[in-house]
Amino acid sequence: KAGVTQTPRYLIKTRGQQVTLSCSPISGHRSVSWYQQTPGQGLQFLFEYFSETQRNKGNFPGRFSGRQFSNSRSEMNVSTLELGDSALYLCATAYEPRYEQFFGPGTRLTVL
Amino acid sequence: QKEVEQNSGPLSVPEGAIASLNCTYSDRGSQSFFWYRQYSGKSPELIMSIYSNGDKEDGRFTAQLNKASQYVSLLIRDSQPSDSATYLCAPHILTGGGNKLTFGTGTQLKVEL
């Protein structure tokens, strides 16, 4: 089975811009979660989608949003980028009723 | 109190020794527990899942869970240099109708020759 894929792998943006990241889950996985990883804060939960619905949301500002398509692929969007948004953004997918999450390689976002 | 606590390390063990990694969590609603290994510059890789109290063994890895003490651990036997990585503990809870993993900051393990 192919693993979780994320695109792009690297991204450089400037403050004030917006960015869209994409995640394609493992075949059959309908739950997609997004995480932000920084050296100071570790892995922090952004949100989870299942069947095109956001089921859970972490403690991030509204500039962070996401969506899921009918084929379970998911995108997350960050608007009005700030320097502090520089991080590794990871998506993880799961096959319910099992809750094991499998991570993609991540998108490294640098905000200048 | 942090939701998930792990010693940041580094934890140094000689090759062939047993590495013991510990994790405590605060949410008693946590039902499943996962251990991830993350190499520098890579994404986390799931290495162990444990769902009930007791021990679970998989190859050189043994996960131990004590829900009453809110404690979960990972033992790595016959440690190899390739085990050098950061190990993340992640309790799972059902919340808001969905799933959530809360990660500890991880323990850095160094296996020395």
Side-chain angles (χ1 to χ4, degrees), chain A residues 34-38 41-47 57-65 76 78 84-85 87 89:
Chain A
W34 289 89
Y35 297 87
Q36 180 195 66
Q37 187 173 36
T38 59
Q41 298 295 319
L43 262 167
Q44 295 200 297
F45 173 76
L46 280 156
F47 27 66
K57 189 176 189 306
N59 189 24
F60 278 82
R63 299 186 297 108
F64 292 82
S65 63
M76 68 163 280
V78 188
D85 296 333
Y89 289 88

Side-chain angles (χ1 to χ4, degrees), chain A residues 47-68:
Chain A
F47 27 66
E48 184 216 6
Y49 285 87
F50 183 87
S51 291
E52 303 178 65
T53 300
Q54 186 183 87
R55 293 199 300 193
N56 220 342
K57 189 176 189 306
N59 189 24
F60 278 82
R63 299 186 297 108
F64 292 82
S65 63
R67 59 178 176 168
Q68 186 181 34

Side-chain angles (χ1 to χ4, degrees), chain A residues 9 31 33 35 37 40-43 45 48 55-56 58 88 90 96 98-106 108, chain B residues 31-32 34 36 38 41-46 49 51 88 92-101 103-105:
Chain A
R9 294 292 309 280
S31 168
S33 298
Y35 297 87
Q37 187 173 36
Q41 298 295 319
L43 262 167
F45 173 76
E48 184 216 6
R55 293 199 300 193
N56 220 342
L88 179 65
L90 294 157
E96 294 195 357
R98 298 180 68 86
Y99 301 117
E100 298 159 330
Q101 293 188 8
F102 296 89
F103 283 84
R108 173 77 60 185
Chain B
Q31 300 181 7
S32 311
F34 305 106
Y36 288 84
Q38 187 172 25
K42 301 293 186 181
S43 62
E45 173 193 9
L46 179 66
S49 309
Y51 301 94
L88 301 162
H92 164 268
I93 59 171
L94 290 170
T95 178
N99 302 296
K100 179 181 175 183
L101 293 184
F103 285 85
T105 52

Side-chain angles (χ1 to χ4, degrees), chain B:
Chain B
Q1 183 188 8
K2 289 184 180 178
E3 292 184 80
V4 182
E5 299 213 39
Q6 296 182 256
N7 288 328
S8 60
L11 171 66
S12 293
V13 299
E15 185 179 5
I18 296 175
S20 178
L21 307 167
N22 304 315
C23 171
T24 58
Y25 60 94
S26 61
D27 193 332
R28 287 193 173 274
S30 302
Q31 300 181 7
S32 311
F33 302 83
F34 305 106
W35 282 97
Y36 288 84
R37 176 176 63 197
Q38 187 172 25
Y39 293 113
S40 180
K42 301 293 186 181
S43 62
E45 173 193 9
L46 179 66
I47 55 172
M48 283 291 283
S49 309
I50 187 164
Y51 301 94
S52 55
N53 283 330
D55 296 358
K56 179 184 177 183
E57 186 176 317
D58 184 2
R60 296 187 296 114
F61 299 101
T62 298
Q64 299 173 316
L65 173 60
N66 184 328
K67 289 186 179 179
S69 300
Q70 295 174 255
Y71 173 86
V72 58
S73 67
L74 179 70
L75 299 177
I76 305 175
R77 290 182 299 281
D78 189 25
S79 295
Q80 301 297 310
S82 59
D83 295 326
S84 297
T86 297
Y87 289 81
L88 301 162
C89 168
H92 164 268
I93 59 171
L94 290 170
T95 178
N99 302 296
K100 179 181 175 183
L101 293 184
T102 303
F103 285 85
T105 52
T107 297
Q108 186 183 5
L109 174 66
K110 292 186 176 181
V111 180
E112 300 167 333
L113 295 171

